[in-house]
Amino acid sequence: MFLPFYSSKGGIICIVALLLFTNSVFSQTSKRDSLLFEINLQRKAKDFNLKDTVYINSLIHLAFEFRYHNLDSVAVLSNESLSLSEEVDFTKGKIESYINIGGFYSDKGKVDKAIFNFNRAYELSHNFNNPKLKVESLIELSTEYSHQGNYALALEGYLEAIEIAEEMNLTILLSIINENIADLYLTQKDYDEAMFFFKKVKRLNEDIGDPIFTAETMSNMASAYADMNELEHAMFNINQSIPVFEEKRIIDWLAYCYEVKGKIYLKKGKNKWALYWYRQSEMLHEQIQDNRGKIALLNGMAEASLNLKKDSISEVYAQKAFDISKKIDFKEGIEDSSKLLYQLNKKQNNFQKALSYLEIYKTMSDSLALSDNQKALNMLKTKMEYDQQKQQLILENEKALAKQKTYIYIFIVILVIFFVIVLIVRRNEQIHKKLNKELLSKKKDLEEKQHYLNELNQTKNKLFSIIGHDLRGPIGAFQGLLKLFKEGEMTKKEFLNFVPKLKVDIDTISFTLNNLLFWGQSQMNGSTTTPAVTNLNAIVEENMSLLSEIADSKSITLMNRIEPDCQIWSDPNQIDIIIRNLLSNALKFTPNNGQIIIGAIQKLKNCEIYVKDNGMGMSEETMGKLFQKDANHTTYGTNDEKGTGLGLSLCKEMVEKNQGKIWVNSALGHGSSFYFTIPRATEHYKRSA
């Protein structure tokens, strides 16, 4: 009931062919690339052994990464890893290989074969001391029971998995199980019960702290809210999920998110927008193999096209959905697509075909209605039996605890006596520890004072260095020009020709002195941050006005994309310095006729501000030095403008004092984009102010 095992020799040939054939495909996926590279290294090693468990594990992990991307590769790799695991009696390898083979059959729609392989993995895990693998095999087996329509067995398996996961504190697996149970209730349209489990999952995800887990849950909740016609909740959840999957390039989940967003717009009656997002999902589906997910997408596109009176296009999508649903025996998909095909054929006066699809729809609808009622009863019965068994175990446990109370009381008395003895011993120890602590404290104070003096000395040296190098030069040049003019060696006209350059130098000196004052104050622990409700757009406009002359001299376009009512919670003086430094830097490194854009993305709790230019860009090495506290890295601008290397260090300090963070994206010849976050001025902050 599963793929025939390759012999060791035949398996090696298949694996090598697979690696060579798919090498270019994997170049876009770092995780698969990494595994392929690792396998190639292992095979080239002089002491390579085909039966090495490290090599077998690499094959298993690579097969897992191929799911939803290349099912043939999953089959080849999984059968090879299973064959090798059996030869060396590697139980962990056998369990994980059976799970991968089960996943292959599940995605092919061959539920019985999938259940067989997942069940083999579960049976092997019983005698193997690895609770995590036991829970994983139970989850896969129960999920396949739900695909089969046996919801009672699915729920029973999930509940057993929860018992083990809670006992072993497997938080990630608990999150997955509860989300799968929520999905079971969604199929029954029991939204209250489904949302109860989704909320449990959200609490677990907070403990896990992985944004990908949170995004997966929110995308599933978005789909549920769409089915409940709570479309604003649905849109909020899906918009929170999409950026995470786009950033991490998780294509299968991103395709699902785009499909859910299309469904939300479809329910809103915005069919053109629905089709737009469905097409985004369709393009991603070309890179993955997920027939169940594709059915919902195709039916959605068919319905949106039908609403837009594009009947021929609608029929193509509905027919594709119908064919795939029949192929993998997906009853819900057959029901939805046959209903659409009935409507389309009826509209085209093709009554014979319309009648045949209507009969299919009616048969499938009645079957699902009867099946759903039975499933709901079975789920309720299973849950009640589980609760009764759990309650019985609790009662038996309480009886056992009551018998142990007498022994516990005796033990407590002995423990108290022992505790008194320990206290006496500890008292003597504490006297010695107190003396040691006093010595250590005095030593620590001396070290801290020495460190503080060293920092002050470094600050002094840096100040003198900047004053001597970056300020003395322009001032000396200015003095020289004045002397030449005063002594008559330079005419008034010649002197006036230098005025524009003198103004630029004086502006640079003023800007540098301003940065030095703030930096010096912060280094001497004299800088305080006083947050208030601040209008970001006003600060940006003021700085753009101040720097407009420099921009005009280089014919650089300054663009402000910040909304007029964008309010943040920050120290306005410090934000002013941050904006001025970032804009000044951008002007410095942007060539003539360039463009600088400053904007802000208002998120739920904070505001992400960016300054983008199309200037020189930076190397990875340069970016690594930008925000270092003690760095004095200076680069000349496109017109040989000078700098102290101090501005970005000052920006970092002030952003962090305002509860934000700062970073940069850049590449040589492609410009630079500086980003920093600042808390938004929410009602809480306004009341505080």
Side-chain angles (χ1 to χ4, degrees):
M1 295 182 70
F2 47 88
L3 285 173
F5 298 150
Y6 293 86
S7 66
S8 297
K9 184 176 178 182
I12 295 167
I13 293 168
C14 288
I15 296 298
V16 173
L18 176 69
L19 299 182
L20 292 172
F21 176 73
T22 57
N23 193 44
S24 62
V25 178
F26 291 156
S27 61
Q28 298 175 1
T29 310
S30 58
K31 199 163 186 180
R32 294 200 290 275
D33 277 346
S34 176
L35 285 166
L36 280 168
F37 181 72
E38 185 181 323
I39 289 171
N40 279 322
L41 279 181
Q42 290 170 3
R43 295 186 60 79
K44 289 175 183 177
K46 290 181 180 178
D47 57 347
F48 172 68
N49 181 2
L50 191 65
K51 298 175 184 179
D52 186 353
T53 56
V54 174
Y55 175 70
I56 296 170
N57 279 324
S58 297
L59 295 179
I60 290 166
H61 295 155
L62 185 58
F64 177 79
E65 289 300 323
F66 267 117
R67 193 170 180 186
Y68 303 120
H69 297 279
N70 190 322
L71 285 177
D72 291 337
S73 300
V74 175
V76 172
L77 291 162
S78 301
N79 280 288
E80 178 65 17
S81 63
L82 179 60
S83 176
L84 294 172
S85 297
E86 288 186 331
E87 285 185 41
V88 296
D89 197 23
F90 180 34
T91 308
K92 178 177 177 291
K94 286 190 277 186
I95 294 168
E96 291 178 334
S97 297
Y98 276 123
I99 289 174
N100 282 339
I101 294 170
F104 164 77
Y105 281 120
S106 176
D107 294 342
K108 284 285 189 181
K110 298 179 180 180
V111 178
D112 291 339
K113 290 184 177 182
I115 288 173
F116 172 84
N117 283 281
F118 289 140
N119 203 44
R120 288 286 293 127
Y122 175 59
E123 288 169 357
L124 283 170
S125 69
H126 266 293
N127 300 320
F128 187 60
N129 188 24
N130 190 324
K132 184 173 179 289
L133 277 179
K134 187 175 182 180
V135 173
E136 286 175 354
S137 57
L138 254 179
I139 292 171
E140 295 287 358
L141 181 59
S142 301
T143 302
E144 209 56 37
Y145 279 134
S146 72
H147 290 159
Q148 190 185 47
N150 196 337
Y151 287 21
L153 272 178
L155 185 59
E156 187 179 328
Y158 287 140
L159 293 173
E160 183 185 344
I162 284 176
E163 286 272 0
I164 303 166
E166 284 179 343
E167 184 181 346
M168 304 307 298
N169 198 27
L170 302 171
T171 311
I172 292 175
L173 292 178
L174 275 173
S175 171
I176 294 168
I177 299 163
N178 280 284
E179 193 152 355
N180 286 357
I181 293 174
D183 186 58
L184 280 181
Y185 282 105
L186 283 177
T187 60
Q188 302 298 303
K189 295 181 173 53
D190 188 346
Y191 298 117
D192 290 339
E193 198 70 20
M195 283 300 163
F196 169 78
F197 280 97
F198 273 131
K199 285 170 185 175
K200 282 182 70 176
V201 174
K202 284 188 77 175
R203 289 194 296 272
L204 288 165
N205 287 347
E206 286 172 8
D207 294 336
I208 295 167
D210 187 334
I212 295 174
F213 271 81
T214 302
E216 289 173 357
T217 301
M218 292 185 80
S219 58
N220 285 329
M221 289 180 74
S223 181
Y225 278 128
D227 293 337
M228 296 161 67
N229 281 319
E230 293 187 20
L231 302 180
E232 295 307 315
H233 283 85
M235 190 63 80
F236 172 78
N237 278 273
I238 206 64
N239 284 340
Q240 293 291 309
S241 304
I242 287 173
V244 177
F245 297 131
E246 286 179 337
E247 181 186 352
K248 304 294 184 182
R249 295 184 180 181
I250 304 175
I251 295 175
D252 47 344
W253 274 99
L254 192 55
Y256 172 67
C257 284
Y258 288 161
E259 184 265 317
V260 171
K261 193 161 185 176
K263 179 166 74 171
I264 296 166
Y265 277 116
L266 183 65
K267 285 185 171 283
K268 283 187 172 186
K270 297 181 179 180
N271 295 291
K272 288 183 179 178
W273 275 107
L275 272 177
Y276 170 81
W277 287 104
Y278 281 141
R279 287 191 182 109
Q280 302 305 306
S281 179
E282 184 182 30
M283 284 189 287
L284 293 180
H285 267 283
E286 291 174 3
Q287 303 175 47
I288 60 177
Q289 294 181 1
D290 180 13
N291 284 332
R292 287 191 184 91
K294 197 170 185 179
I295 291 167
L297 167 66
L298 291 168
N299 279 325
M301 295 181 82
E303 188 175 344
S305 299
L306 181 61
N307 293 341
L308 291 169
K309 304 190 185 309
K310 297 179 180 179
D311 295 358
S312 58
I313 296 172
S314 176
E315 187 172 6
V316 170
Y317 286 129
Q319 190 64 53
K320 282 183 181 178
F322 183 81
D323 293 342
I324 296 172
S325 300
K326 290 281 284 183
K327 182 180 177 182
I328 66 172
D329 193 26
F330 185 49
K331 292 181 175 59
E332 286 84 354
I334 296 171
E335 180 188 21
D336 293 339
S337 54
S338 60
K339 182 181 179 182
L340 284 166
L341 288 166
Y342 155 67
Q343 292 171 341
L344 285 160
N345 280 284
K346 182 182 177 184
K347 193 175 179 182
Q348 296 166 9
N349 295 326
N350 193 341
F351 298 113
Q352 187 174 354
K353 284 185 76 175
L355 181 60
S356 67
Y357 282 118
L358 178 62
E359 287 174 353
I360 294 169
Y361 167 70
K362 189 72 172 65
T363 303
M364 203 57 61
S365 181
D366 292 344
S367 170
L368 285 170
L370 290 170
S371 176
D372 285 347
N373 289 332
Q374 188 60 44
K375 288 170 187 173
L377 289 171
N378 284 342
M379 283 177 68
L380 182 62
K381 181 181 176 184
T382 302
K383 192 175 179 184
M384 288 175 65
E385 287 175 355
Y386 172 78
D387 289 339
Q388 287 172 1
Q389 290 172 4
K390 194 172 182 180
Q391 192 61 36
Q392 186 178 350
L393 286 171
I394 290 169
L395 289 171
E396 289 175 358
N397 190 50
E398 285 175 353
K399 288 178 183 178
L401 287 172
K403 290 179 181 179
Q404 293 172 7
K405 279 184 180 179
T406 305
Y407 300 106
I408 290 170
Y409 291 143
I410 295 168
F411 176 74
I412 288 170
V413 172
I414 296 168
L415 193 62
V416 168
I417 296 167
F418 177 74
F419 185 67
V420 171
I421 296 167
V422 169
L423 278 176
I424 295 168
V425 174
R426 282 287 178 89
R427 188 163 172 263
N428 291 328
E429 289 178 354
Q430 285 173 356
I431 293 169
H432 291 289
K433 283 181 180 178
K434 188 177 179 182
L435 292 171
N436 288 332
K437 279 183 181 178
E438 287 177 2
L439 288 171
L440 287 170
S441 177
K442 288 177 181 178
K443 182 184 175 186
K444 189 177 179 182
D445 287 342
L446 287 170
E447 288 173 348
E448 286 176 354
K449 286 174 182 176
Q450 184 181 357
H451 179 69
Y452 176 67
L453 289 171
N454 287 338
E455 284 191 344
L456 286 178
N457 197 39
Q458 287 174 5
T459 301
K460 177 203 71 175
N461 290 340
K462 188 164 186 177
L463 282 168
F464 284 147
S465 171
I466 291 169
I467 291 167
H469 180 266
D470 295 289
L471 297 182
R472 190 170 63 181
I475 291 170
F478 187 34
Q479 286 175 329
L481 283 171
L482 288 173
K483 185 179 178 183
L484 289 171
F485 180 68
K486 184 179 178 182
E487 293 175 356
E489 294 183 27
M490 179 184 288
T491 66
K492 183 179 179 180
K493 185 178 180 181
E494 287 174 334
F495 180 78
L496 288 174
N497 287 336
F498 282 99
V499 168
K501 184 180 184 308
L502 289 174
K503 185 182 183 307
V504 171
D505 285 347
I506 289 169
D507 287 344
T508 302
I509 291 167
S510 174
F511 186 70
T512 302
L513 281 173
N514 198 29
N515 274 349
L516 276 172
L517 286 171
F518 273 94
W519 179 77
Q521 188 182 22
S522 69
Q523 296 302 304
M524 299 295 183
N525 297 321
S527 175
T528 57
T529 300
T530 309
V533 177
T534 304
N535 187 297
L536 179 62
N537 185 58
I539 292 175
V540 170
E541 286 292 336
E542 184 180 345
N543 278 285
M544 285 175 68
S545 177
L546 285 170
L547 298 169
S548 61
E549 191 171 337
I550 298 173
D552 291 341
S553 70
K554 296 178 75 173
S555 299
I556 293 172
T557 304
L558 294 175
M559 299 178 67
N560 181 4
R561 291 186 178 172
I562 295 173
E563 297 175 2
D565 61 345
C566 181
Q567 291 186 325
I568 56 175
W569 180 254
S570 64
D571 186 317
N573 292 326
Q574 293 180 352
I575 294 300
D576 183 54
I577 290 165
I578 295 165
I579 295 294
R580 195 173 308 160
N581 271 284
L582 292 179
L583 278 175
S584 178
N585 260 17
L587 285 166
K588 178 179 172 183
F589 295 108
T590 301
N592 293 346
N593 301 309
Q595 178 179 275
I596 297 170
I597 302 171
I598 182 166
I601 302 168
Q602 297 190 55
K603 298 187 176 180
L604 190 62
K605 292 184 180 179
N606 59 37
C607 190
E608 186 179 290
I609 303 154
Y610 59 84
V611 178
K612 299 181 178 180
D613 64 64
N614 60 352
M616 297 160 58
M618 292 176 280
S619 65
E620 291 286 341
E621 182 183 0
T622 302
M623 284 193 287
K625 297 176 181 177
L626 283 183
F627 299 111
Q628 291 178 6
K629 184 176 179 181
D630 299 324
N632 195 13
H633 181 77
T634 304
T635 306
Y636 285 91
T638 56
N639 287 355
D640 291 330
E641 300 98 328
K642 295 180 182 178
T644 63
L646 181 65
L648 291 176
S649 175
L650 187 62
C651 286
K652 183 175 186 294
E653 286 184 29
M654 291 188 175
V655 167
E656 289 174 352
K657 283 183 178 181
N658 284 276
Q659 309 302 313
K661 59 181 181 177
I662 186 168
W663 69 97
V664 63
N665 290 332
S666 183
L668 282 172
H670 295 281
S672 302
S673 299
F674 284 85
Y675 300 84
F676 68 94
T677 59
I678 294 294
R680 287 184 65 186
T682 59
E683 288 301 321
H684 168 74
Y685 289 126
K686 289 177 181 177
R687 285 196 297 272
S688 298

